[in-house]
């Protein structure tokens, strides 16, 4: 049994990488702070909000710097419920399913948290700075950086997203300073962290001290040489060296679902789990199958809040073998508002990221 710390399963102590037990996680629509996973590439920072400043620069008319108090005074607070999920969520499931090792922290299915984030809209922050959009120069990005500490693979941590996502009214991107109505804790980025609803956790930079508008993506290691889905033929780190620059960074989360519990009793199975929306819209339906995918039965959606939250669901289904059938496998499958269906399986990749095959549990 893995080491636990305050109820979370610790995969790595330093830097801290821990996730909550799956059944406990899905017992709460909004994830209580003590159950929010911790994913760190460097030490957790304890910063002084009185002096720590966020800088806005790059292709803007007016560079600016703000402390937490200055941000709170200058801009209205916005709130968004959004699921934060690591690209490595379900890494262990990919390794098991493919029976082939992957590289990285061997996460289970609990590196996801559904949180009410509060902060300033990135859109408000950038519009106040006045984004300059020179004609005909191609793609633009919002780059985020935290220079306060070195990480495992770089001297700082950074990420970038298309500028359009940062500016769009319905993109709901925030510079957050609150989590579930309370000030952010150091572990989750106090005083500021980026919240990019629908995007992979790696882009939600914690302890962020710089937002830069640029024609170039962030050149940070974690944007350029990690958090990418390498093609399955890449089998080693050495081979990967030739591929990083050819593969796009992971941005949006894929449509996904996970089975968190399955209890058989009296010829019936009660199944519970969560689903995650993909780039084409919120989850519209989750179905379960106890006959290896021959037939699917709709689950009841028990929680969903807005475009970016996770979806909790449960179903009680009859087992085909009746009373005698107390062992088997149950699958879950999500569908989104645009009619996309979660795939049965996805390719193996070296870093074991973005696994989104059917949810699965033996019972
Ligand atoms: N500065 C900094 N920001 C970071 C990271 C990091 O290591 N350093 N990890 C990223 C990754 S990979 C994820 S999944 C999320 C995890 O956020 P959490 O620890 O609050 O759950 O933060 C992101 N932001
Ligand atoms: Mo992550």
């Amino acid at each position: 049994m893995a080491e636990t710390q305050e109820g979370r399963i610790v995969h790595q102590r330093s830097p801290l990488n821990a996730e909550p037990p799956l059944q406990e996680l899905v017992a709460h629509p909004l994830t209580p702070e003590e159950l929010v996973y911790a994913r760190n590439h460097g030490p957790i920072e304890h910063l002084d909000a009185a002096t720590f400043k966020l800088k806005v620069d790059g292709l803007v008319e007016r560079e600016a710097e703000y402390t937490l108090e200055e941000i709170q005074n200058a801009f209205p607070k916005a709130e968004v419920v959004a699921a934060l999920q690591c690209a490595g969520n379900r890494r262990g499931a990919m390794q098991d399913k493919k029976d082939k090792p992957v590289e990285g922290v061997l996460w289970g299915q609990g590196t996801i948290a559904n949180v009410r984030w509060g902060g300033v809209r990135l859109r408000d922050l950038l519009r106040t700075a006045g984004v300059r959009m020179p004609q005909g120069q191609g793609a633009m990005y919002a780059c985020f950086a935290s220079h306060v500490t070195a990480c495992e693979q770089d001297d700082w941590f950074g990420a970038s997203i298309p500028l359009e996502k940062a500016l769009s009214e319905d993109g709901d991107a925030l510079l957050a300073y609150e989590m579930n109505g309370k000030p952010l804790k150091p572990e989750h980025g106090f005083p500021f962290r980026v919240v990019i609803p629908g995007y992979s956790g790696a882009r939600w930079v914690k302890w962020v001290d710089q937002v830069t508008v640029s024609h170039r993506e962030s050149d940070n290691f974690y944007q350029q040489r990690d958090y990418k889905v390498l093609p399955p033929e890449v089998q080693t780190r050495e081979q990967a060296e030739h591929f990083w620059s050819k593969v796009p960074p992971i941005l949006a989360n894929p449509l996904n679902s996970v089975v968190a519990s399955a209890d058989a009793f009296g010829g019936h199975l009660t199944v519970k789990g969560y689903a995650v929306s993909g780039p084409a819209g919120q989850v519209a339906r989750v179905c379960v199958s106890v006959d290896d995918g021959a037939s699917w039965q709709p689950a009841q959606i028990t929680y969903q809040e807005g475009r970016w939250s996770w979806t909790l669901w449960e179903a009680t289904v009859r087992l085909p073998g009746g009373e005698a059938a107390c062992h088997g496998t149950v699958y879950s499958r999500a569908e989104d508002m645009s009619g996309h269906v979660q795939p049965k399986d996805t390719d193996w990749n070296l870093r074991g990221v973005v696994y989104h095959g059917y949810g699965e549990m033996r019972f």
Side-chain angles (χ1 to χ4, degrees):
M1 185 62 204
E3 180 189 4
T4 62
Q5 185 199 35
E6 291 162 15
R8 292 183 305 186
I9 302 150
V10 178
H11 294 280
Q12 202 181 344
R13 184 163 275 284
S14 181
L16 180 65
N17 284 295
E19 70 181 302
L22 192 51
Q23 289 198 28
E24 235 178 287
L25 176 65
V26 299
H28 310 271
L30 284 173
T31 310
E33 195 175 281
E34 64 275 14
L35 292 182
V36 175
Y37 74 95
R39 203 312 171 226
N40 293 293
H41 290 284
I44 289 167
E45 290 302 311
H46 294 262
L47 301 168
D48 180 359
T51 54
F52 185 81
K53 285 192 176 173
L54 172 97
K55 186 171 185 181
V56 183
D57 63 5
L59 296 171
V60 293
E61 304 288 351
R62 295 166 295 277
E63 290 191 359
E65 272 193 344
Y66 305 91
T67 61
L68 176 59
E69 198 183 335
E70 286 164 351
I71 283 262
Q72 289 171 328
N73 289 336
F75 300 98
K77 186 173 89 181
E79 286 192 328
V80 172
V81 175
L84 163 65
Q85 178 184 229
C86 185
N89 195 27
R90 309 193 70 198
R91 180 175 281 143
M94 176 188 283
Q95 176 164 292
D96 291 350
K97 195 78 194 158
K98 302 294 171 181
D99 197 18
K100 183 172 174 176
V102 292
E103 285 187 12
V105 176
L106 211 53
W107 296 112
Q109 304 187 100
T111 43
I112 181 166
N114 192 58
V115 169
R116 187 182 308 278
W117 305 97
V120 43
R121 289 186 178 278
L122 274 180
R123 172 187 163 81
D124 290 351
L125 194 71
L126 291 173
R127 290 184 120 204
T128 296
V131 173
R132 288 190 282 126
M133 296 229 187
Q135 290 299 305
Q137 290 205 36
M140 291 182 74
Y141 302 91
C143 304
F144 312 113
S146 172
H147 296 96
V148 288
T149 182
C151 293
E152 291 156 315
Q153 310 272 11
D154 207 328
D155 297 337
W156 53 293
F157 186 88
S160 54
I161 62 167
L163 182 63
E164 204 188 325
K165 171 73 180 173
L167 290 180
S168 82
E169 211 154 345
D170 53 12
D172 290 326
L174 299 184
L175 180 79
Y177 48 75
E178 280 182 13
M179 207 168 132
N180 292 336
K182 287 183 279 178
L184 266 183
K185 286 281 161 61
E187 187 183 299
H188 300 293
F190 177 85
F192 306 119
R193 91 168 300 161
V194 177
V195 165
I196 314 293
Y199 274 36
S200 195
R203 312 305 170 213
W204 300 37
V205 177
K206 298 186 276 191
W207 313 292
V208 58
D209 55 18
Q210 192 179 18
V211 175
T212 306
V213 177
S214 174
H215 282 302
R216 297 184 41 213
E217 290 183 358
S218 168
D219 59 6
N220 188 263
F221 179 92
Y222 300 97
Q223 182 80 22
Q224 297 295 337
R225 293 152 57 77
D226 201 356
Y227 293 109
K228 294 188 174 192
V229 181
L230 294 166
E233 62 266 28
V234 177
Q235 311 261 337
T236 64
R237 283 270 179 182
E238 295 71 55
Q239 290 167 356
E241 287 306 313
H242 306 289
F243 277 86
W244 290 122
S245 65
K246 298 181 189 137
V247 178
I250 296 166
L251 295 174
N253 292 314
L255 179 63
N256 215 335
S257 74
V258 159
V259 178
S261 66
D263 298 301
F265 186 74
H268 287 79
L269 188 73
T270 297
V271 197
K272 291 184 186 177
Y274 68 80
V276 189
S277 67
Q282 189 47 291
V283 172
R285 211 153 80 111
V286 179
C287 290
V288 299
S289 174
V290 285
D291 55 10
D292 209 24
S295 65
W296 292 90
Q297 299 173 58
Q300 196 193 341
I301 288 178
T302 55
Y303 169 82
Q304 191 178 78
E305 194 169 352
R307 164 69 179 90
W308 311 111
S309 81
W310 72 357
T311 296
L312 295 179
W313 54 267
E314 60 183 80
T316 296
V317 296
R318 276 175 67 94
L319 290 168
E323 298 263 343
C326 50
H327 296 290
T329 301
V330 57
Y331 295 97
S332 67
R333 187 183 77 182
E335 294 168 40
D336 72 19
M337 304 282 184
S338 314
H340 296 87
V341 182
Q342 180 185 357
K344 180 174 184 189
D345 207 358
T346 62
D347 281 340
W348 176 93
N349 65 73
L350 181 66
R351 295 287 279 110
V353 283
V354 196
Y355 185 67
H356 57 291
Y358 290 171
E360 176 176 346
M361 188 171 276
R362 261 173 249 141
F363 59 88

